[in-house]
Amino acid sequence: MPDYKAPLKDMQFVLHEVFNAEQLWREFPALQEVNRELADAILEESAKINEGLIAPLSQSGDAQGVRWQDGNVITPEGYKEAFKQLAEGGWAGLSGEEQYGAQNMPKMLILLFEEMLYSANIAMGLYLTLTSGAALAIANHASDELKEKYLPNMYAGKWAGAMCLTEAHAGTDLGMIRTKAIPQADGSYAISGTKIFITGGEQDLTENIIHLVLAKLPDAPAGSKGISLFLVPKVKVNDDGSLGDANGVNCGSVEHKMGIHASATCVLNFDGAQGFLVGEINKGLQGMFTMMNYERLSVGIQGLSAGQAAYQWSAEYALERLQSRAPSGPQNADGAADPLIVHPDVRRMMLTQKAYVEAGRAFAVYVGKQLDTAKFGEGEAQAKASALVELLTPVAKAFLTDKGLEGTVLGQQVFGGHGYVKEWGMEQLVRDVRISQIYEGTNGIQALDLMGRKIAANGGKYLAPLLAEMRGFVEENGSVAGLAEFLTPLSGAIDNLEALTETVLSRTADGDANAVGAASVEYLHVMGLTLYTYMWALQCKVILSGDSAQSEAFNQAKLHTARFFVEHLLPQADALSASIRNGSDSLMAIPAEAFLSA
């Protein structure tokens, strides 16, 4: 398995030169102490710990997997010690409130740490990032008493967090959950029910696990309007903060999965466990979605991370592996053959990986910027950022993971037969990233959320500011020498996205109940390609304006990759758009029983 090397140059280029993060942070009082020097120090230390400590455990952890024994989960060798080092290094508390021991770092920076962590070892990363997400929900919705009692140890990495939504009969449709919460005389609730697919629901890395559980009171309204959110510790916590008795939370089994073998995916049984209300009764989804908006970006970053690792490894392989001669004649005259990188199809695969990874990293930081502005900003800027977060979250989750899987498969293809053999690590990347398209809401559900709730439900209100921003960028930078070759396709993509939106909205208004569902996945991909075109234009503008502090080789590689993207990948949007314009008739006309015909 090749070594992982963090792409620090590109991370710093995107963070500091493309998005001017330090200038943005100065605008927020809560981030006054965060500057470029601190950000770069965090990135560099992150690279060291992920390259040297976390990445070497990935392949062995995959081979060993987790073990379930009498209700306990045993993680692979080295995981407990590595997690302890992450905790002691403060990596579990990068985000969150300083008054409870966290560091309150901006999401733009944290997500780059998450990228390194997931590229090094997705399974390990899940234990840490889910704890951060659970802490976020508690910090935003729980009482001060619960915050004071639970957050410090979660931020310190002594306790982990887990989110408990899914039940055997209720996956996407959470309104069907059966887990019950019975009010108790002391103000707590007795939680009973079974949850499945709970990542990190049981493990031996921390002394306690703080579960956020969706459940219903006996008199709750039907459906999703009757869901409440509860904090349920694995081990009860005494008033003085010490650990007490076990709390009626038991792991019935772990799932045997396609990938992320070192991540414990658990069946959890709650048997009258003591729980505490988070937020208001029957409004539990509000608290959970605070966590899930961040987690969905985090899952998107898993796709980006796997794509980055696959690209890095396949690039090294393509430059070293000798196979056949270049079509134009020998390039390695003293060798028996030329390296793979001389062949056009290998270059197609490598540039596709590179283009999606580098645009995806910029897009992730762009979404992180909106999250930071929504959290720390005020006034009109905060309102716009909040709307963009709502709009872009499903795109970040789905498009980044779809392209992440595509990138790992391309990397595997570059390796040929070696990509199918375990020792090279490529097949593990394919297996590990596949779940990212499924959990935290399948990518089909993300597309429905985008097209239905974020576009159709408000007549494109959330989309309009984004279109205006991108058009403004085109107009403002038309005089930058050499940028027209990237601005012209961007302008065309913007016009196409706007017209496509109007087409779907018009069909919905005309009574086509299937218009949204039929168009949603392809529409999300058209938006993703449009946004990536914007990300490439942003990066090229920095270079062509003379504002890049990177080397000439770095800058030229960026321009080459951007050119490949707009000439060879962006045209996919045309075919997707044609499919959407063809409507839902042929999709819905076939009888259901025809799918079972011989």
Side-chain angles (χ1 to χ4, degrees):
M1 185 176 191
D3 293 335
Y4 166 67
K5 296 295 181 185
L8 284 175
K9 280 186 181 179
D10 199 58
M11 289 179 169
Q12 291 166 337
F13 171 73
V14 170
L15 187 66
H16 300 307
E17 295 169 48
V18 177
F19 291 110
N20 297 309
E22 186 175 40
Q23 181 178 338
L24 178 73
W25 297 336
R26 287 195 192 117
E27 297 175 10
F28 306 138
L31 299 179
Q32 289 298 304
E33 296 182 7
V34 184
N35 54 33
R36 177 166 187 163
E37 182 180 5
L38 175 61
D40 285 348
I42 289 173
L43 292 178
E44 288 164 8
E45 285 304 310
S46 171
K48 289 177 184 178
I49 196 168
N50 282 298
E51 292 171 358
L53 177 67
I54 307 303
L57 295 172
S58 180
Q59 194 167 35
S60 61
D62 177 68
Q64 291 180 30
V66 297
R67 289 190 295 116
W68 181 89
Q69 184 175 319
D70 299 327
N72 300 310
V73 168
I74 302 165
T75 54
E77 292 177 13
Y79 273 61
K80 191 170 184 178
E81 294 77 12
F83 190 89
K84 183 179 180 182
Q85 287 193 48
L86 284 172
E88 290 175 347
W91 298 106
L94 281 178
S95 63
E97 306 299 322
E98 291 180 282
Q99 68 189 95
Y100 302 112
Q103 300 171 55
N104 203 32
M105 290 291 112
K107 187 64 178 176
M108 293 174 76
L109 177 59
I110 293 170
L111 66 84
L112 294 174
F113 160 69
E114 290 182 356
E115 184 196 325
M116 292 187 226
L117 180 62
Y118 286 135
S119 283
N121 189 330
I122 291 177
M124 176 68 85
L126 289 169
Y127 293 113
L128 198 72
T129 57
L130 278 168
T131 299
S132 298
L136 177 72
I138 294 168
N140 280 273
H141 297 279
S143 66
D144 290 342
E145 180 183 359
L146 290 178
K147 293 177 191 178
E148 292 170 4
K149 195 168 188 177
Y150 292 94
L151 285 179
N153 282 326
M154 295 178 74
Y155 290 141
K158 293 181 179 179
W159 299 349
M163 54 192 294
C164 305
L165 290 71
T166 307
E167 300 179 11
H169 61 285
T172 299
D173 192 352
L174 291 173
M176 296 173 62
I177 65 170
R178 296 172 184 160
T179 300
K180 293 296 182 185
I182 308 299
Q184 304 296 296
D186 63 358
S188 67
Y189 294 79
I191 310 297
S192 297
T194 297
K195 299 287 185 178
I196 67 168
F197 299 157
I198 310 306
T199 303
E202 171 59 28
Q203 36 80 2
D204 60 358
L205 306 176
T206 60
E207 61 187 18
N208 204 359
I209 303 171
I210 311 306
H211 299 285
L212 290 181
V213 184
L214 293 183
K216 291 186 174 183
L217 274 65
D219 59 351
S224 60
K225 294 182 179 179
I227 297 175
S228 299
L229 179 63
F230 299 90
L231 185 157
V232 185
K234 171 188 171 182
V235 181
K236 293 181 181 179
V237 180
N238 297 320
D239 291 339
D240 63 0
S242 62
L243 295 180
D245 298 330
N247 191 28
V249 183
N250 299 292
C251 178
S253 63
V254 294
E255 304 293 348
H256 302 281
K257 311 183 296 292
M258 174 181 175
I260 53 170
H261 293 158
S263 170
T265 305
C266 305
V267 174
L268 290 184
N269 299 310
F270 295 86
D271 185 13
Q274 185 180 46
F276 305 93
L277 182 68
V278 175
E280 299 179 40
I281 290 174
N282 299 330
K283 294 185 178 180
L285 288 182
Q286 293 180 9
M288 191 59 79
F289 277 111
T290 295
M291 175 182 183
M292 289 183 73
N293 270 343
Y294 276 75
E295 290 300 331
R296 283 175 174 166
L297 174 57
S298 187
V299 171
I301 293 168
Q302 290 174 36
L304 169 64
S305 300
Q308 165 62 35
Y311 167 66
Q312 180 184 120
W313 297 348
S314 53
E316 293 172 0
Y317 187 81
L319 288 164
E320 295 174 359
R321 174 75 167 173
L322 302 181
Q323 290 287 287
S324 304
R325 291 299 187 184
S328 58
Q331 304 295 305
N332 177 34
D334 295 333
D338 291 329
L340 284 174
I341 199 66
V342 305
H343 301 295
D345 189 55
V346 173
R347 284 178 167 248
R348 174 191 63 82
M349 292 188 284
M350 297 303 308
L351 275 167
T352 299
Q353 288 178 284
K354 189 175 192 295
Y356 282 136
V357 164
E358 293 181 13
R361 179 174 298 116
F363 177 55
V365 174
Y366 176 78
V367 177
K369 176 183 176 181
Q370 310 312 320
L371 283 164
D372 287 338
T373 305
K375 179 178 179 180
F376 299 111
E378 56 186 26
E380 184 178 338
Q382 183 184 49
K384 179 190 174 185
S386 296
L388 280 174
V389 167
E390 291 295 315
L391 177 71
L392 297 178
T393 293
V395 185
K397 193 278 184 184
F399 199 67
L400 282 169
T401 56
D402 282 347
K403 295 309 171 187
L405 178 67
E406 182 178 337
T408 61
V409 172
L410 287 171
Q412 190 178 36
Q413 196 74 11
V414 170
F415 272 74
H418 294 300
Y420 201 68
V421 176
K422 284 185 177 293
E423 67 184 272
W424 290 87
M426 290 300 302
E427 61 84 33
Q428 183 186 338
L429 285 177
V430 176
R431 289 186 290 105
D432 282 354
V433 78
R434 180 63 181 89
I435 184 59
S436 67
Q437 297 174 298
I438 298 172
Y439 58 18
E440 296 293 348
T442 66
N443 286 2
I445 292 297
Q446 301 303 316
L448 281 172
D449 179 44
L450 172 68
M451 187 77 257
R453 294 178 182 172
K454 310 301 171 54
I455 302 290
N458 56 52
K461 178 182 176 182
Y462 286 174
L463 179 63
L466 177 63
L467 296 175
E469 176 185 320
M470 292 191 290
R471 283 201 173 105
F473 175 82
V474 172
E475 293 170 4
E476 291 166 13
N477 293 284
S479 62
V480 177
L483 195 58
E485 69 171 307
F486 307 110
L487 294 181
T488 299
L490 173 58
S491 184
I494 296 166
D495 290 344
N496 176 65
L497 180 61
E498 183 174 51
L500 207 60
T501 304
E502 292 172 356
T503 295
V504 178
L505 292 179
S506 175
R507 286 180 178 156
T508 302
D510 289 343
D512 183 355
N514 296 309
V516 166
S520 58
V521 169
E522 290 156 330
Y523 182 90
L524 184 145
H525 277 254
V526 172
M527 182 178 282
L529 289 165
T530 303
L531 286 162
Y532 276 26
T533 308
Y534 182 33
M535 295 302 110
W536 274 117
L538 287 169
Q539 294 179 78
C540 291
K541 184 250 182 179
V542 172
I543 293 167
L544 294 171
S545 298
D547 296 328
S548 172
Q550 305 302 317
S551 68
E552 182 64 15
F554 178 98
N555 292 337
Q556 288 302 314
K558 280 284 181 189
L559 295 174
H560 283 305
T561 308
R563 191 170 294 119
F564 173 83
F565 180 86
V566 298
E567 291 182 359
H568 292 272
L569 299 180
L570 177 59
Q572 296 173 23
D574 294 335
L576 293 167
S577 299
S579 176
I580 292 171
R581 291 188 174 97
N582 284 333
S584 65
D585 289 350
S586 61
L587 182 69
M588 304 307 297
I590 183 171
E593 56 270 19
F595 289 96
L596 296 176
S597 61

